[in-house]
Amino acid sequence: MKVLLSVFLAILALDQIANGYRILGVFPLHGKSHWIVHEALMKELARRGHQVDVITHFPLEKPIPNYRDISLKGSMPQVHNNMSASDLQGLATPSIAMLVGMAGDSICNLLNHPKMQELIKNPPQDPPYDLVIQELFAAPCYLAFGRYLKVPTVATVASVFHDWLNEVSGNPMNPAYIPSMFSSYGQRMNFKERLTNFLLMHYLSWQMHYYTNRQLTVVKEHFGIDVPHIKDLYKEIAVYLVNSHHSLNAIRPMTTNVIEVGGLHLTADEDPLSPEVQKWLDESKDGCIYFTLGSMVRIETFPKELIQQFYRAFEKIAPVRVLMKVAKKEDLLPGLPKNVMTQSWFPQIPVLKHKNIRAFITHGGNGGTLEALHCGVPMIGIPLFGDQRINIQNYVNKKAAISLNSIDEITEEKLTSALNNILKDSTYRENIRKMSKMYVDRPISPMNMSVFWIEYVAKYGNVLQSPALNLYWWQQCLLDVYAFILAVIITVLYIALFILRKLKNLLFGSRAKKDSAAMKSKKNK
């Protein structure tokens, strides 16, 4: 019986491999938080029998079948646990130009990497690639891979759908009720907010395409591809997999090839808690607060006065405990309260799932906030840069979080007040749990949804694109139709007026002449 079972499993495995696709995963951005989402997807595709070759800065520590790393590790400055308080100052006033420089142009320059050059000059032929999967952010130069290899492209978006992607995907963009990704507005906006939202969405879109257009130089250099504008490369995209969901990001129209898969990385494949952390949480009978500012920022580099504010606030909420992520404990200011445990890393989802976790102090990164939503944990937000302020504000609007606005505005009193409110007011927990139920209640899991559409595109090609891409903006808005209808109406009115004037002259003009002749004859008499 065991032999028959082994033979059956072997046949099943061979069938999966025979029917599998060869997929190139292109993830040259060196941000760990973005990679977490894509790693889960690529590992699942490999598990289902597809051969995946993955360009990444984070090669697997333990190799798995059907998965091959094309490692860029060490080619970019490390940002994981390497951002200090002084580094944050440079991000205080973000701009699209700076974003494209940091996460776009410098990433495109990685095409000079020897492994990239080898892939471009000698792509595999036995078998060749069937599909490209890549992250969209600020380096659309990599969309050239799809055109170069003559295969469809599946694009992943690690946040809500970017404002600048609507134009190039043919997705409806209505600023009257769809807030910009950098706006804190809800879907019911007054006139001033709608005006601001309209200008912001169009300005961001124009800026992004303007600054990324210079990446065509490296596209020409490395792929030999000539296109008139960077926007033309987006036509390679067959499907967009977007890390968002209507329970948080509101209702918005999506074309067939824009698919929400929020929480894609939330799988059962989780690292277990260490015995030390498990014991700490199990014994936190009065509750525990989880505190991390993400995978990049080093809390221990913050000013002494700020760290002391945290210490005093945490000490005040004892016996409630705190788990605090600190990259280098030896650099942390002395005087850590007894109710605080620090480690350089925590398996975040198992921590947030623990029954004794009462709140999550977070910088507002999209991945972390989605994990808190998934686990039903209310938040205290300390946004640092980028879309973090907006992410937190989305939860504040639904009274599932409290925002402290900025790291520079934190005081002992404000933090203590926020902690007491989130711990004692059950409304926050009730609201986040209600949102969580809506978030996880789906007919199909985000991972299964993603894999289905990836395999669909591999089978049928680029068949889901919006026909709006074949129209100019004024044709999409039907301005030519409205102009034609207006011209017809004006012409009809003009003709009608002309005819009425003629009839008037015909009917009343002759009578006026008769009356005039009669008057003259009377005078002559």
Side-chain angles (χ1 to χ4, degrees), residues 246-300:
H246 67 266
S247 62
L248 173 65
N249 305 111
I251 306 302
R252 56 184 68 208
M254 299 287 191
T255 59
T256 306
N257 70 336
V258 178
I259 300 158
E260 288 193 305
V261 290
L264 173 64
H265 66 295
L266 301 172
T267 64
D269 185 16
E270 301 165 1
D271 294 328
L273 295 171
S274 68
E276 182 185 12
V277 175
Q278 185 72 55
K279 184 173 183 293
W280 177 271
L281 286 171
D282 290 343
E283 294 176 353
S284 300
K285 302 302 182 183
D286 296 289
C288 186
I289 306 291
Y290 176 45
F291 177 28
T292 174
L293 294 182
S295 61
M296 293 170 25
V297 177
R298 295 178 55 207
I299 295 174
E300 62 273 23

Side-chain angles (χ1 to χ4, degrees), residues 40-318:
L41 176 60
M42 301 312 290
K43 287 169 71 173
E44 180 64 17
L45 288 168
R47 189 186 71 79
R48 297 195 187 196
H50 302 294
Q51 173 62 48
V52 297
D53 299 341
V54 185
I55 298 171
T56 175
H57 295 270
F58 307 96
L60 297 181
E61 294 180 3
K62 297 179 180 179
I64 61 175
N66 303 326
Y67 189 111
R68 181 174 75 94
D69 282 305
I70 302 175
S71 177
L72 304 177
K73 187 175 182 179
S75 59
M76 294 287 287
Q78 181 177 329
V79 294
H80 181 62
N81 281 336
N82 201 36
M83 183 176 286
S84 67
S86 58
D87 295 329
L88 286 175
Q89 297 300 319
L91 300 174
T93 54
S95 69
I96 294 296
M98 182 180 71
L99 175 65
V100 172
M102 292 174 56
D105 298 343
S106 62
I107 302 300
C108 289
N109 289 335
L110 289 173
L111 288 167
N112 289 308
H113 192 282
K115 290 188 178 180
M116 289 284 206
Q117 288 295 300
E118 174 63 23
L119 179 64
I120 293 170
K121 293 175 181 177
N122 299 294
Q125 299 298 328
D126 187 25
Y129 289 119
D130 300 294
L131 189 74
V132 173
I133 302 176
Q134 74 166 86
E135 179 184 10
L136 277 187
F137 191 43
C141 57
Y142 285 90
L143 289 171
F145 267 111
R147 183 170 296 192
Y148 181 73
L149 296 171
K150 297 180 175 59
V151 296
T153 296
V154 172
T156 61
V157 182
S159 64
V160 69
F161 205 54
H162 303 155
D163 292 348
W164 51 86
L165 293 179
N166 289 293
E167 177 188 358
V168 293
S169 65
N171 200 57
M173 179 179 68
N174 192 329
Y177 65 94
I178 302 173
S180 166
M181 65 177 294
F182 289 115
S183 157
S184 58
Y185 300 144
Q187 291 204 293
R188 296 183 179 181
M189 294 176 268
N190 58 36
F191 173 77
K192 181 182 177 181
E193 290 170 339
R194 282 184 284 117
L195 175 62
T196 304
N197 195 52
F198 171 85
L199 295 174
L200 180 60
M201 289 182 81
H202 285 85
Y203 179 69
L204 289 174
S205 181
W206 172 79
Q207 281 230 310
M208 178 58 72
H209 298 315
Y210 174 79
Y211 286 110
T212 56
N213 196 53
R214 61 196 180 202
Q215 295 174 11
L216 289 179
T217 303
V218 294
V219 170
K220 171 66 175 175
E221 177 186 352
H222 295 292
F223 296 97
I225 294 173
D226 275 314
V227 290
H229 197 281
I230 195 69
K231 290 188 286 188
D232 290 270
L233 286 180
Y234 287 89
K235 292 179 180 178
E236 306 306 315
I237 300 173
V239 161
Y240 296 81
L241 301 177
V242 187
N243 196 22
S244 64
H245 189 257
H246 67 266
S247 62
L248 173 65
N249 305 111
I251 306 302
R252 56 184 68 208
M254 299 287 191
T255 59
T256 306
N257 70 336
V258 178
I259 300 158
E260 288 193 305
V261 290
L264 173 64
H265 66 295
L266 301 172
T267 64
D269 185 16
E270 301 165 1
D271 294 328
L273 295 171
S274 68
E276 182 185 12
V277 175
Q278 185 72 55
K279 184 173 183 293
W280 177 271
L281 286 171
D282 290 343
E283 294 176 353
S284 300
K285 302 302 182 183
D286 296 289
C288 186
I289 306 291
Y290 176 45
F291 177 28
T292 174
L293 294 182
S295 61
M296 293 170 25
V297 177
R298 295 178 55 207
I299 295 174
E300 62 273 23
T301 65
F302 288 166
K304 173 183 175 182
E305 296 75 16
L306 179 58
I307 297 294
Q308 287 174 337
Q309 306 283 342
F310 282 112
Y311 284 2
R312 287 196 287 267
F314 292 156
E315 199 166 25
K316 283 185 177 180
I317 62 170

